[in-house]
Amino acid sequence: MTDYDVIIAGGGMVGACLAHALARDGLRVAVVEPFPLDSASQPSYDDRAIALAYGTRCILEGLGVWDGLGPAAEPIREVHVSDRGHFGFTRLDARDEEVEALGYVVTGRDLGRALLGPLAVAGGGADLVCPARVRDFAIGPDEVRVAVEPVPGAASDGAASMPRTLTAALLVAADGGRSAIRARLGIPQREHAYRHHAVIANVTPALPHRGVAYERFTDSGPLALLPMTDDRCGLVWTVRDDDLADLLALDDRRFLARLQERFGFRLGRFGAVGRRSHYPLELRLAHTQVLERVAIIGNAAHTVHPIAGQGFNLGIRDVAALAGVLADAHRDGRDLGSLGVLERYAEARRRDHRAVVLATDALARLFASPAAPLQLVRNLGMLALDTLPPLKRALARAAMGLSAGSRLP
Ligand SMILES: Cc1cc2nc3c(=O)[nH]c(=O)nc-3n(C[C@H](O)[C@H](O)[C@H](O)COP(=O)(O)OP(=O)(O)OC[C@H]3O[C@@H](n4cnc5c(N)ncnc54)[C@H](O)[C@@H]3O)c2cc1C
């Protein structure tokens, strides 16, 4: 008998959601996470504004997490897409889709609180092995043996009593874009560095945002302002690597003046800006996402450009699919780590992964280009979207996360 049915490496957004889903289905689960649960410096749960698709809300409801998150979530009622200095413009409206909201915006920190809080209480359904990391693992015929080590320097009363080896039927790698587990397995991946960074900060404009999310394409890269609670907006500003240092060196007043010049005055004057952070933008797609006794999910399996706010939305659909496959196998008494079971999961997810990677990559390249023919293409594209209701509906449903399996089985 193994210690657990499933060991999840990584308690970030995707790993924590999977822990909720598997515990709900009665599986024995451990989550190994290097950052202390209450750490203010946990990079997965920082101040970035995360746009949750409507389908993601449905999954979070199924996990019992939405009640804790809902008060921190600002509904997106409209999306305005425009190209600075050009004619293209399109607008998506929740009323056209007959839903309360196209999506919701929360901070990573809010998500962290809602996900980790219930897991951390005794009887929360999963054992949290924390702060610790997966150092290595060995795949055997009946189990995977996972070597766990406490994180050096992290304050941990339990470090001495922490088990050094854990066994399970399945190891799930949810250890992020630079996944050591994927690397250790030697799985090749498609990789591309966009040579852009995303600069994020929360800003407060003079006018209320009224639930409108703005995606504005500028000659230096796309800029999104997402509606947040307390009439703040979450800024995600894509800038070329060469321009990053200059932008970060600006004091708050000059930073807001630069933003105003890029975005315009639709929200009046920007009055305050919070802490700025920045992330390199990369595309990664692992060629294989399951092997005997290992599944790779979330950013560890696919990291996409944040241009359309799809990364976590894609990862939580992995969670819904994997939880469904494992619950079926558990009920039928099948080996959860067998390739036969895991391939059902991989097969179910292949199309969604490819579609989102292709779409976000194409958008990132198209909208990063100052070349005149590409500008024309994107402006005509937005015009077509605005005048062709079926096309617009398809885009709205994809953005809402409703084109691919978005409910827990
Ligand atoms: C600027 C920006 C804006 C974004 N906006 C959106 C958005 O609007 N909507 C959206 O859906 N997505 C968005 N994303 C994407 C989203 O943030 C990611 O897709 C999501 O955080 C991925 O979660 P994850 O759990 O897979 O990985 P991570 O959040 O990277 O978590 C990995 C976890 O694994 C742990 N770990 C690492 N190594 C080990 C080890 N050896 N053992 C155990 N644990 C380990 C880490 O400590 C971490 O907690 C955005 C991303 C960026 C950069």
Side-chain angles (χ1 to χ4, degrees):
M1 171 93 159
T2 53
D3 299 325
Y4 294 98
D5 294 314
V6 181
I7 295 173
I8 303 170
M13 293 175 199
V14 173
C17 285
L18 183 66
H20 277 276
L22 299 183
R24 181 202 64 163
D25 293 336
L27 272 66
R28 296 170 304 129
V29 185
V31 181
V32 183
E33 166 58 44
F35 280 87
L37 290 182
D38 54 356
S39 164
S41 55
Q42 156 67 289
S44 309
Y45 300 122
D46 60 12
D47 288 327
R48 88 185 75 158
I50 300 283
L52 304 177
Y54 184 78
T56 296
R57 173 198 168 142
C58 298
I59 297 176
L60 290 169
E61 272 174 341
L63 297 179
V65 171
W66 184 256
D67 283 353
L69 186 61
E74 183 70 23
I76 302 175
R77 303 198 189 281
E78 279 181 43
V79 178
H80 283 205
V81 185
S82 59
D83 203 344
R84 181 173 177 265
H86 300 277
F87 60 84
F89 177 86
T90 194
R91 184 197 305 248
L92 305 176
D93 192 322
R95 283 168 300 191
D96 296 340
E97 304 309 316
E98 295 169 4
V99 288
E100 176 211 72
L102 293 166
Y104 301 83
V105 182
V106 296
T107 65
R109 213 172 288 288
D110 296 327
L111 255 177
R113 254 181 244 121
L115 286 170
L116 297 179
L119 284 180
V121 295
D127 283 353
L128 298 174
V129 184
C130 175
R133 68 165 66 92
V134 168
R135 182 172 49 78
D136 203 358
F137 55 93
I139 296 169
D142 304 315
E143 61 181 25
V144 53
R145 296 179 71 78
V146 179
V148 170
E149 65 182 2
V151 173
S156 165
D157 299 338
S161 59
M162 193 176 278
R164 300 295 194 230
T165 305
L166 299 171
T167 59
L170 173 66
L171 170 63
V172 176
D175 53 343
R178 312 229 154 150
S179 168
I181 295 177
R182 186 196 56 223
R184 153 86 166 68
L185 289 164
I187 296 175
Q189 56 180 353
R190 176 173 162 201
E191 269 180 285
H192 175 73
Y194 288 106
R195 285 183 282 171
H196 279 73
H197 270 71
V199 174
I200 65 127
N202 298 334
V203 296
T204 308
L207 298 177
H209 53 60
R210 298 180 200 282
V212 178
Y214 295 91
E215 180 91 41
R216 193 151 169 69
F217 296 102
T218 79
D219 49 10
S220 58
L223 185 161
L225 277 169
L226 303 172
M228 296 177 74
T229 51
D230 302 324
D231 265 319
R232 295 165 304 153
C233 289
L235 168 69
V236 185
W237 190 350
T238 308
V239 297
R240 289 183 207 103
D241 286 354
D242 295 345
D243 298 334
L244 179 70
D246 281 353
L247 194 63
L248 295 177
L250 297 176
D251 61 25
D252 285 358
R253 193 177 56 79
R254 287 198 178 87
F255 180 82
L256 287 175
R258 181 79 63 88
L259 173 64
Q260 197 88 60
E261 187 248 321
R262 297 272 110 184
F263 180 75
F265 283 86
R266 271 202 186 125
L267 286 168
R269 196 167 284 286
F270 294 110
V273 56
R275 202 163 57 87
R276 288 170 243 168
S277 313
H278 55 94
Y279 309 82
L281 299 181
E282 298 161 326
L283 163 73
R284 295 165 190 270
L285 180 63
H287 288 191
T288 309
Q289 305 192 350
V290 297
L291 294 169
E292 189 82 24
R293 306 221 167 274
V294 185
I296 304 174
I297 65 168
N299 268 31
H302 41 69
T303 302
V304 296
H305 193 292
I307 189 163
Q310 288 298 316
F312 173 61
N313 292 307
L314 186 62
I316 201 170
R317 296 201 290 272
D318 294 349
V319 167
L322 184 58
V325 165
L326 295 180
D328 287 350
H330 186 57
R331 195 190 48 234
D332 299 343
R334 297 185 64 193
D335 179 353
L336 302 187
S338 70
L339 203 51
V341 167
L342 297 177
E343 269 175 349
R344 271 191 57 210
Y345 159 74
E347 185 52 39
R349 297 300 298 136
R350 198 161 291 132
R351 238 178 96 198
D352 193 20
H353 288 167
R354 286 212 186 121
V356 172
V357 165
L358 261 173
T360 50
D361 187 45
L363 280 174
R365 290 172 197 258
L366 183 63
F367 284 103
S369 173
L374 288 181
Q375 276 183 11
L376 187 65
V377 168
R378 67 194 189 214
N379 279 283
L380 290 174
M382 281 195 266
L383 204 62
L385 269 178
D386 217 43
T387 45
L388 291 174
L391 202 59
K392 206 164 145 176
R393 181 123 219 271
L395 177 73
R397 292 193 67 77
M400 288 162 69
L402 296 180
S403 321
S406 56
R407 278 169 203 279
L408 282 169

